[in-house]
């Protein structure tokens, strides 16, 4: 008996064993001995994780999938969390231990998974997984590209990002409408910003809200001094700015307010 795919849970089960193994192999094992798989479904990825030397935990929201896992992966049973990854308290669940995150993620919440990982980055040295290709590209894109946006800057401020490979719809049951992409995020050695983090997030989000405009126009709502707004950076558009430039700008804005 297998699990019947439920659309509202973003269930697209991977059929291709080689691809499952390649995704599992994308974990480097650097800096952790525990891995959390989000959304194991029927365990196609999980079985390759269980072969590795780290300890694998899984979190799955779908009871039918959990029952399937309990029957088919007896040695995993004590490490299955039934629940919603977006709702769990990470430091409680993992006792402040570092762990890597992996998954063939449910696409409807994949950006939120990345933002939750960023918020808990002191505990998450690595995240590998499959996203809708367009989202995978956005996360890993560099300045100057159309796909470069809020999630690119906020992720790359804390993680080095790599686009690993593309996966076609045909290897899933049921097939999604779009291509998928597998990426790896490796936490930067220094993942603490030299500026106020809340302000940095606000500057990035406000700038990209109107990505076609210059920074001078898009940051109007921040009520900056005329003197600061003469800075050359305000003639640029957000998609041209590097992470370092966003950080520098945040510093200038912080000083401007004083
Ligand atoms: N890893 C499996 C299934 C991928 S489909 C495979 O590759 O075949 C995505 C999985 O995420 C489904 O099993 C779905 O039930 C689960 N899921 C969806 N939302 C979730 C959430 N909020 N927390 C945990 N798991 C979730």
């Amino acid at each position: 008996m297998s699990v019947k795919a439920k659309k509202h849970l973003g269930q697209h089960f991977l059929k291709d064993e080689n691809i499952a193994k390649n995704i599992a192999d994308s974990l480097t094992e650097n800096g952790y001995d525990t891995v959390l798989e989000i959304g194991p479904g029927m365990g196609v990825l999980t079985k390759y994780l269980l072969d590795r030397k780290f300890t694998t935990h899984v979190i799955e929201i779908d009871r039918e999938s959990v029952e399937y896992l309990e029957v088919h992966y007896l040695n995993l049973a004590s490490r299955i969390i039934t629940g919603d990854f977006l709702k769990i308290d990470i430091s409680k669940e993992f006792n402040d231990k570092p762990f890597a995150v992996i998954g063939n993620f449910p696409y409807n919440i994949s950006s939120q998974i990345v933002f939750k990982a960023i918020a808990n980055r002191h505990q998450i040295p690595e995240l590998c997984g499959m996203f809708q290709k367009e989202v995978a590209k956005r996360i890993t894109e560099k300045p100057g590209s159309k796909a470069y946006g809020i999630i690119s800057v906020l992720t790359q401020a804390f993680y080095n990002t790599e686009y690993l490979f593309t996966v076609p719809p045909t290897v899933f049951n049921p097939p999604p409408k779009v291509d998928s992409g597998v990426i790896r995020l490796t936490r930067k050695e220094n993942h603490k910003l030299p500026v106020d983090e809340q302000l940095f997030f606000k500057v990035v989000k406000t700038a990209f809200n109107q990505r076609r405009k210059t920074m001078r126009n898009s940051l109007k709502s921040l009520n900056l001094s005329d003197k600061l707004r003469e800075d050359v950076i305000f003639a640029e558009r957000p998609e041209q700015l590097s992470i370092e430039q966003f950080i520098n700008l945040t510093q200038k804005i912080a000083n401007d307010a004083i």
Side-chain angles (χ1 to χ4, degrees):
M1 264 257 303
S2 60
V3 175
K4 188 175 172 307
K6 300 165 198 74
K7 205 174 169 188
H8 71 285
L9 294 178
Q11 290 183 337
H12 296 279
F13 298 115
L14 190 58
K15 299 187 288 187
D16 188 308
E17 295 288 333
N18 279 323
I19 295 176
K21 184 171 186 312
N22 287 342
I23 298 173
D25 283 348
S26 64
L27 289 166
T28 65
E29 294 186 16
N30 276 332
Y32 53 88
D33 54 22
T34 301
V35 168
L36 175 65
E37 185 192 357
I38 301 174
M42 286 182 278
V44 64
L45 265 181
T46 323
K47 61 173 169 290
Y48 295 103
L49 299 173
L50 291 170
D51 284 346
R52 304 274 295 266
K53 63 171 195 256
F54 44 70
T55 308
T56 299
H57 296 244
V58 301
I59 179 160
E60 173 56 66
I61 201 167
D62 176 34
R63 285 184 182 283
E64 192 186 352
S65 294
V66 170
E67 279 165 25
Y68 181 98
L69 293 166
E70 283 170 347
V71 172
H72 290 84
Y73 299 91
L74 294 177
N75 50 352
L76 181 70
S78 64
R79 284 171 278 113
I80 302 176
I81 306 166
T82 307
D84 181 344
F85 173 71
L86 297 180
K87 294 199 178 134
I88 56 162
D89 180 337
I90 282 184
S91 54
K92 232 191 223 161
E93 210 67 63
F94 289 94
N95 297 324
D96 294 316
K97 249 174 79 104
F99 64 95
V101 171
I102 192 165
N104 164 16
F105 298 127
Y107 292 166
N108 50 340
I109 60 162
S110 63
S111 307
Q112 293 172 72
I113 290 173
V114 171
F115 287 123
K116 180 154 181 167
I118 292 172
N120 290 280
R121 65 185 180 278
H122 60 283
Q123 244 182 300
I124 305 181
E126 190 167 88
L127 180 149
C128 295
M130 184 141 62
F131 294 75
Q132 195 175 313
K133 183 181 175 188
E134 187 220 320
V135 177
K137 286 282 182 196
R138 272 199 269 138
I139 293 170
T140 54
E141 209 60 82
K142 298 292 176 234
S145 140
K146 268 195 183 152
Y148 182 70
I150 295 173
I151 199 165
S152 333
V153 178
L154 299 187
T155 308
Q156 293 170 38
F158 308 109
Y159 288 89
N160 293 316
T161 66
E162 295 163 87
Y163 186 91
L164 300 177
F165 55 92
T166 300
V167 179
T170 46
V171 299
F172 296 91
N173 180 28
K177 291 202 176 66
V178 292
D179 276 344
S180 300
V182 176
I183 64 175
R184 174 165 53 222
L185 313 182
T186 317
R187 192 177 59 197
K188 291 184 172 174
E189 207 136 294
N190 183 359
H191 54 272
K192 190 160 167 30
L193 289 182
V195 293
D196 181 83
E197 200 174 299
Q198 293 310 316
L199 185 60
F200 174 73
F201 278 51
K202 185 172 172 186
V203 169
V204 174
K205 287 179 182 167
T206 312
F208 279 106
N209 262 337
Q210 292 170 294
R211 60 180 298 136
R212 299 272 149 253
K213 296 196 173 171
T214 63
M215 299 294 283
R216 189 166 293 125
N217 283 316
S218 56
L219 294 186
K220 260 196 179 127
S221 64
L222 299 183
N223 290 322
L224 305 172
S225 68
D226 288 344
K227 185 165 181 299
L228 179 56
R229 281 151 45 85
E230 277 161 25
D231 191 299
V232 286
I233 206 162
F234 282 85
E236 305 271 359
R237 281 181 293 147
E239 65 195 40
Q240 295 157 324
L241 299 189
S242 66
I243 312 296
E244 291 68 31
Q245 285 176 305
F246 272 110
I247 292 173
N248 281 337
L249 176 62
T250 306
Q251 188 64 65
K252 287 178 184 170
I253 291 175
N255 294 339
D256 194 50
I258 291 169

